[in-house]
């Protein structure tokens, strides 16, 4: 595996956009987050994972997206990506991180919890049924700034 940091070549950018679209995630693919990391397969030269984040306020940054190719999941790529993007954010002066995950995405929630995040649930209202639904899990991770 090769780790590639932003700015990305046009080819890598388009591969990241395709990976995001194929995963079914909803996000602005025209403008990727300011701090981004991609993992590229050394054998095939294509992007197999991407994570990105941006500064929110003060020392708080938000992990906007984490996506790993379905054929390469559960091999530690998500952990590498989150650690790499958090390191970029730490170098930029951010020490607290947040992320939002679909409440039904058990694997992503497990990954963030394994990495030391605290879980906070939020709820929304389904307009059609008027029932309260569990919409996202907000995860917060605190770090020491590197010396």
């Amino acid at each position: 595996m090769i780790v590639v940091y932003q700015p990305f070549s046009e080819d890598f950018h388009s591969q990241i956009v395709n990976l995001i679209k194929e995963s079914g995630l909803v996000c602005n693919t025209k403008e990727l987050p300011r701090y981004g990391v991609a993992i590229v397969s050394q054998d095939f030269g294509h992007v197999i994972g991407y994570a990105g984040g941006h500064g929110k306020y003060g020392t708080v940054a938000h992990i906007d997206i984490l996506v790993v190719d379905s054929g390469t999941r559960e091999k530690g790529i998500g952990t590498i990506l989150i650690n790499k993007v958090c390191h970029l954010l730490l170098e930029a002066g951010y020490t607290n991180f947040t992320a939002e995950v679909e409440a039904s995405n058990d694997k992503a929630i497990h990954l963030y919890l394994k990495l030391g995040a605290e879980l906070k649930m939020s709820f929304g209202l389904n307009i059609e049924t008027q029932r309260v639904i569990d919409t996202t899990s907000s995860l917060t991770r605190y770090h020491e700034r590197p010396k």
Side-chain angles (χ1 to χ4, degrees), residues 17-89:
V17 168
N18 287 336
L19 186 62
I20 293 167
K21 287 179 180 176
E22 288 170 7
S23 74
L25 291 174
V26 178
C27 70
N28 177 4
T29 54
K30 291 181 182 173
E31 188 175 321
L32 296 174
R34 179 171 181 193
Y35 299 95
V37 180
I39 300 279
V40 178
S41 164
Q42 204 162 359
D43 300 329
F44 305 107
H46 69 275
V47 175
I48 56 174
Y50 171 76
H54 73 280
K56 280 176 78 170
Y57 51 85
T59 61
V60 178
H62 186 72
I63 308 295
D64 294 294
I65 188 166
L66 169 64
V67 61
V68 177
D69 179 78
S70 60
T72 56
R73 290 186 185 149
E74 297 187 26
K75 294 182 179 170
I77 293 169
T79 300
I80 293 168
L81 287 165
I82 291 298
N83 284 329
K84 294 287 185 185
V85 80
C86 285
H87 185 74
L88 284 176
L89 291 161

Side-chain angles (χ1 to χ4, degrees), residues 67-140:
V67 61
V68 177
D69 179 78
S70 60
T72 56
R73 290 186 185 149
E74 297 187 26
K75 294 182 179 170
I77 293 169
T79 300
I80 293 168
L81 287 165
I82 291 298
N83 284 329
K84 294 287 185 185
V85 80
C86 285
H87 185 74
L88 284 176
L89 291 161
L90 281 167
E91 286 181 341
Y94 299 100
T95 55
N96 303 309
F97 306 118
T98 64
E100 291 178 6
V101 177
E102 291 285 331
S104 60
N105 191 342
D106 293 334
K107 289 182 182 184
I109 292 170
H110 176 75
L111 170 65
Y112 282 110
L113 290 174
K114 182 177 79 171
L115 294 173
E118 296 175 11
L119 179 65
K120 296 177 183 174
M121 301 300 284
S122 66
F123 299 89
L125 180 66
N126 182 321
I127 295 171
E128 292 175 12
T129 64
Q130 296 297 307
R131 289 188 172 171
V132 174
I133 54 171
D134 182 3
T135 55
T136 62
S137 300
S138 178
L139 300 135
T140 306

